[in-house]
Amino acid sequence: MTEQYSGGYSTQIIDQFKQRTFSKQGAFLQSYLSAGLTVLDCGCGPGSMTLDIAELVNPGQVFGIDSSPIQVEQALLMQKERAIINASFTYGSAYSLPYADEQFDVVFAHAVLYHLQKPEQALAEFFRVLKPGGLVALRDACHSGDMMMPLNTELTAVWDTIEKVFSYQGGNIYFGSQHKQLLLKQGFQNIKVSCSYDTFASDVEKDSIRSYWHQFLNADHRQLILAEQWLTVTELEQQFKALDQWCANPASFFARARCEAIASK
Ligand SMILES: C[S@@+](CC[C@H](N)C(=O)[O-])C[C@H]1O[C@@H](n2cnc3c(N)ncnc32)[C@H](O)[C@@H]1O
């Protein structure tokens, strides 16, 4: 099966990534950044965190790379809006980075490796482009730590479908817990592991995640789900209903577990 990024590029999904900030999602790396560093943000998406990093390391340079020209276009728009000059964005793959050996002080990859069929190949590229002593910083989902509350059999079934789609496209929703093992294998040292949560508890946050999964299961992957006969149309509709009911419940919340790792070359 050829790898295909399962996240999709709908406005809804991109808008959600635009809300991410380095001070929140990148907090585990923040104390390691200082003015003058050269940073790569691999799989930068629409670039909100890349631009936050640019502000932190100014006058150091930040390079954002993404396999999707749609994301690069969004990042360039945001860069213009925020008038940041020490960042640049390029279209390209984590598997074959268009950068020289030992170019970067830091390589950051947020919510990227868990989508990849060959994360070890991306890590080998991160190792190559890092200066000796440079840092790699990873943050990825690990579904075994998630809390979708109150959980019931219908919601467990929704997650079953999400997992099937992810795996089919080459990803792994449990990937975060493998950081340490893969970094060691790649020759990285001084590995520090931490975990944190992205929480969706207010009505607005819950609705954003509800529509994210609707988009993922319906608009982006409906045909695949039905063609692979993982669900019937009726069962798929029941899963949307389960998400809607979860969202409408005043007591519900979702806490998405993220594994984090920082290591040096
Ligand atoms: C879940 S998004 C995360 C975006 C951003 N890092 C963030 O957290 O907001 C994953 C991004 O990785 C990109 N991507 C997927 N496969 C890639 C690859 N092989 N090389 C580079 N980027 C890739 C996708 O296009 C997408 O923009």
Side-chain angles (χ1 to χ4, degrees):
M1 171 66 205
T2 328
E3 177 179 307
Q4 209 187 336
Y5 169 63
S6 60
Y9 300 105
S10 63
T11 314
Q12 237 160 351
I13 285 182
I14 290 181
D15 282 351
Q16 202 184 78
F17 295 156
K18 282 185 186 165
Q19 305 305 317
R20 291 179 177 168
T21 61
F22 187 71
S23 63
K24 185 159 191 290
Q25 273 79 21
F28 71 110
L29 174 62
Q30 199 147 9
S31 65
Y32 295 84
L33 295 189
S34 55
L37 294 182
T38 307
V39 181
L40 173 65
D41 182 4
C42 183
C44 62
S48 60
M49 286 193 280
T50 327
L51 296 169
D52 292 345
I53 295 171
E55 288 175 333
L56 283 171
V57 302
N58 187 37
Q61 294 294 311
V62 181
F63 296 75
I65 188 165
D66 199 284
S67 58
S68 159
I70 300 169
Q71 299 283 44
V72 172
E73 198 179 306
Q74 290 292 322
L76 289 169
L77 280 175
M78 197 184 280
Q79 178 177 17
K80 206 170 164 193
E81 276 165 28
R82 289 176 60 176
I84 288 173
I85 56 167
N86 60 324
S88 59
F89 293 95
T90 319
Y91 158 75
S93 172
Y95 292 139
S96 173
L97 293 169
Y99 304 109
D101 295 355
E102 304 187 357
Q103 185 175 338
F104 295 99
D105 296 298
V106 178
V107 175
F108 176 56
H110 184 269
V112 180
L113 294 195
Y114 83 111
H115 285 284
L116 303 187
Q117 212 164 44
K118 293 171 283 184
E120 62 290 342
Q121 192 175 322
L123 283 177
E125 275 296 87
F126 296 173
F127 195 88
R128 179 184 69 76
V129 301
L130 273 173
K131 295 176 185 172
L135 297 180
V136 65
L138 312 172
R139 191 167 188 258
D140 283 289
C142 181
H143 180 56
S144 45
D146 287 348
M147 286 181 266
M148 192 152 198
M149 304 306 292
L151 192 61
N152 54 37
T153 49
E154 287 81 13
L155 287 172
T156 305
V158 172
W159 275 100
D160 237 41
T161 313
I162 292 169
E163 183 184 2
K164 285 191 171 102
V165 174
F166 252 78
S167 311
Y168 185 90
Q169 314 271 43
N172 174 4
I173 61 169
Y174 297 94
F175 175 77
S177 57
Q178 291 179 26
H179 284 159
K180 192 173 184 189
Q181 165 190 343
L182 290 182
L183 286 165
L184 274 174
K185 209 165 153 192
Q186 199 51 58
F188 283 99
Q189 301 173 6
N190 307 315
I191 304 169
K192 292 189 179 63
V193 170
S194 54
C195 298
S196 62
Y197 279 96
D198 291 338
T199 45
F200 302 84
S202 71
D203 289 350
V204 173
E205 289 164 344
K206 287 195 301 179
D207 193 58
S208 78
I209 201 72
R210 182 198 67 85
S211 43
Y212 179 99
W213 291 125
H214 263 271
Q215 173 72 32
F216 182 89
L217 294 171
N218 198 17
D220 293 343
H221 299 297
R222 185 186 183 91
Q223 276 184 341
L224 172 69
I225 292 164
L226 298 178
E228 289 296 313
Q229 299 184 344
W230 293 327
L231 299 174
T232 63
V233 172
T234 313
E235 287 165 338
L236 186 57
E237 294 306 323
Q238 279 164 353
Q239 299 204 344
F240 299 140
K241 211 165 139 198
L243 281 169
D244 293 346
Q245 281 169 349
W246 168 81
C247 188
N249 178 350
S252 66
F253 70 93
F254 177 47
R256 180 144 228 222
R258 299 281 189 179
C259 293
E260 304 156 341
I262 296 186
S264 62
K265 174 172 172 178

